[in-house]
Amino acid sequence: MTPVSNFAGKRVALFGLGGSGASTARALIAGGAEVAAWDDSETSRAKADVPLVDLSNADWSRFDALLLSPGVPLTHPK
């Protein structure tokens, strides 16, 4: 895994914890970002080894960026 240092020292919200989303979260953390991750799937959340924050109830003024995992359809939620 290559650490993503572009977000070092930043608080990043990440939605989607499938394979690519979980890898993204770990790369961000390795690069120095503070990650708040979420997925609608309880199974995906249970498998994730990253900090979880329910983004539907989060204080968005605390985030510097939102990243949408590549696996999340742009039409989500319907």
Side-chain angles (χ1 to χ4, degrees), residues 21-42:
S23 294
T24 299
R26 289 189 295 273
L28 286 164
I29 292 168
E34 182 182 346
V35 174
W38 191 253
D39 194 293
D40 286 345
S41 165
E42 188 174 331

